[in-house]
Amino acid sequence: MDYTQLPGKNDGDTKKPSHLILILLAAVCCLAVWNTWLTMAQANNTQMNAGLQKELMESYLQTIFHALHNRHHHDNLNRNKRSVLGQLDEHLESLTNLIDGAIQDACAEKCSSCPAGPVGPSGPVGLVGPAGPVGPSGPAGAAGLGGLAGPAGPAGPAGPAGPAGPAGPDGPPGPPCPAGHSDPICPVGSPHLDQGTVSFPGSCLDSHGQDQNTGISQLAGVYETGEGCLTACESEEGASGSGCEYHAGTKTCHSHTHDVDTGNGDSGYTCYVLEQIDYVLFIGPGYGSNGQSEVLNLPSLTRANCTPPTFPYGNYYGYVATLMSEGPLLCGGHYRSTYQSTCHLAGKEWIASTPMKTIRRGAEAVTLGDAWWVTGGFDGSANTLATTELLLTNLTSPEWAPHIDLPHILRHHCLVKLNTTHVFLTGGGTAASFIFSTSTGFV
């Protein structure tokens, strides 16, 4: 491009530089700034296209040239000044767009594979922002280990008493009964069981060790000895089974009708405990008892401290029984799968006694005077009987003898002694009832 054609001022023109000159200077400055930026942008790429620079420069200068040339060919400076300025603005905008496009194309072409520049230093840490809202609760953690066991608490109140346990085994047999006692099945430990009269020094005490001041009465008369007082007490009605008390200093005698057990040891007094008789109930063996019997105290029906012998043939039932001087006597009945006529006496052991004349099972019996009357029952062929027989106990050797027949054949009937001469009969397979008299028979 020929730059000699640029319009200038007339020689000798002493006016101030025109606006175009100022614009030109501004363009040169902008070009210098742009060239500096371009140089920095190409710091990482030294092979920038030199033709691009030349082309941009020529386009810029050409625009300025056209602007100056147009100003030279117009006469009216004031009018053209506004037009030139407008054109200059348009050319400057075109130049700006051209430069931006060239830079973008160059960067797109030349810098697409350029390496990234180094990372700049980190900026200062910003201020801590306000705390955010509390997040939702997290899941529950795993259960911790169990703590040590605490101390034991105080003992609770005692619970209610449990049910009574089963009866314990029978104790060992007691000592034999004192001489003169005819019943070998006696409670052990009863100190006054048919043992005769016992004397103790002192005033009388009851079984609890207390002075016996009730049930006592003074007997009339003067008693020189204790034996005389004892004789008077034994004949006193109601004194039997209790005792009497003798005072040697006053020679008086008192009888006791209430419980008397021993003396308190005071000198000048004597306590006599009279003969004691304890009554018991003997329950013989039965079906399923394996030959065992029991003895109960009367009237309490508590178990007596006594162990009867076991019947030697096992289960025994259907018999009749009475109390003899030697002990309970059992006759007839059923054992060893057979109806029996045998009799056995219970003492320290079972002893065979005189048998009945007839086999009987399911018979009934009652005492009449000095005899024991056995009636009815089944015979050995299971036939029901009307016959009866008596065991005569007033003889040196007891014997069986036939006696009056029953009004009907009977078994498992009921006989009740009304007095020493009369008996009531009922049941046993009939609805009839009868009275038996030793003098007139059944009525």
Side-chain angles (χ1 to χ4, degrees):
M1 181 177 180
D2 189 3
Y3 296 96
T4 60
Q5 302 286 330
L6 291 171
K9 300 295 182 181
N10 292 330
D11 295 336
D13 190 357
T14 59
K15 295 182 179 179
K16 293 181 180 181
S18 65
H19 290 289
L20 292 176
I21 297 301
L22 295 175
I23 293 172
L24 180 60
L25 291 175
V28 171
C29 291
C30 292
L31 182 62
V33 173
W34 176 82
N35 187 58
T36 301
W37 175 86
L38 185 61
T39 301
M40 293 176 64
Q42 292 176 344
N44 295 325
N45 187 3
T46 58
Q47 297 181 357
M48 182 72 179
N49 190 349
L52 176 61
Q53 300 180 37
K54 182 178 180 181
E55 179 181 354
L56 293 174
M57 181 61 71
E58 288 179 353
S59 298
Y60 178 74
L61 295 178
Q62 185 177 11
T63 301
I64 296 174
F65 174 77
H66 286 298
L68 296 176
H69 184 269
N70 290 334
R71 180 186 181 282
H72 179 73
H73 285 83
H74 291 81
D75 294 330
N76 193 342
L77 180 61
N78 293 330
R79 185 183 63 184
N80 291 337
K81 179 179 179 180
R82 184 178 303 168
S83 176
V84 170
L85 289 174
Q87 293 179 8
L88 183 59
D89 292 336
E90 293 177 358
H91 283 287
L92 286 175
E93 182 179 358
S94 298
L95 179 60
T96 301
N97 294 335
L98 179 62
I99 292 172
D100 291 341
I103 292 174
Q104 292 176 3
D105 292 340
C107 289
E109 178 181 356
K110 300 298 182 177
C111 299
S112 60
S113 61
C114 295
V119 178
S122 300
V125 179
L127 297 176
V128 178
V134 178
S137 300
L145 298 176
L148 299 176
D170 292 328
C177 295
H181 179 49
S182 60
D183 184 3
I185 306 178
C186 60
V188 175
S190 178
H192 308 303
L193 178 62
D194 196 22
Q195 63 182 5
T197 300
V198 180
S199 63
F200 298 94
S203 299
C204 292
L205 303 177
D206 61 19
S207 58
H208 299 288
Q210 303 296 320
D211 286 337
Q212 182 56 279
N213 296 319
T214 59
I216 184 172
S217 60
Q218 182 174 346
L219 302 183
V222 177
Y223 299 90
E224 298 294 335
T225 63
E227 288 75 7
C229 176
L230 175 59
T231 302
C233 284
E234 289 178 334
S235 62
E236 182 74 11
E237 182 178 358
S240 178
S242 183
C244 65
E245 183 176 306
Y246 176 66
H247 186 200
T250 60
K251 299 182 179 181
T252 56
C253 181
H254 294 79
S255 67
H256 286 272
T257 58
H258 290 183
D259 174 32
V260 173
D261 186 72
T262 186
N264 64 6
D266 289 347
S267 61
Y269 289 85
T270 303
C271 178
Y272 295 95
V273 179
L274 303 182
E275 177 182 1
Q276 303 290 312
I277 300 176
D278 292 339
Y279 292 95
V280 295
L281 173 64
F282 174 78
I283 303 175
Y287 183 82
S289 69
N290 293 320
Q292 296 295 324
S293 302
E294 295 182 69
V295 178
L296 303 181
N297 293 315
L298 292 177
S300 64
L301 295 180
T302 57
R303 185 187 293 270
N305 191 12
C306 182
T307 304
T310 301
F311 188 72
Y313 304 120
N315 291 334
Y316 185 22
Y317 55 95
Y319 52 83
V320 289
T322 188
L323 183 61
M324 307 292 287
S325 60
E326 296 86 356
L329 178 68
L330 281 60
C331 294
H334 181 279
Y335 63 83
R336 286 185 171 179
S337 302
T338 305
Y339 292 0
Q340 302 289 336
S341 63
T342 58
C343 292
H344 293 83
L345 186 66
K348 294 185 180 301
E349 58 183 1
W350 289 95
I351 301 173
S353 185
T354 305
M356 295 186 296
K357 293 186 173 294
T358 304
I359 293 175
R360 299 180 187 272
R361 175 187 177 275
E364 296 298 333
V366 69
T367 300
L368 285 176
D370 294 330
W372 183 41
W373 185 27
V374 179
T375 65
F378 297 102
D379 64 10
S381 300
N383 297 313
T384 305
L385 300 173
T387 60
T388 70
E389 50 189 301
L390 286 173
L391 177 61
L392 304 176
T393 59
N394 59 345
L395 303 178
T396 303
S397 177
E399 296 181 2
W400 289 95
H403 196 48
I404 186 175
D405 286 349
L406 299 173
H408 299 279
I409 56 173
L410 299 175
R411 78 284 188 201
H412 300 301
H413 45 289
C414 180
L415 284 177
V416 179
K417 181 179 177 180
L418 301 178
N419 51 44
T420 57
T421 58
H422 290 79
V423 176
F424 175 73
L425 168 65
T426 188
T430 179
S433 297
F434 304 90
I435 296 292
F436 174 79
S437 171
T438 56
S439 59
T440 62
F442 289 99
V443 293

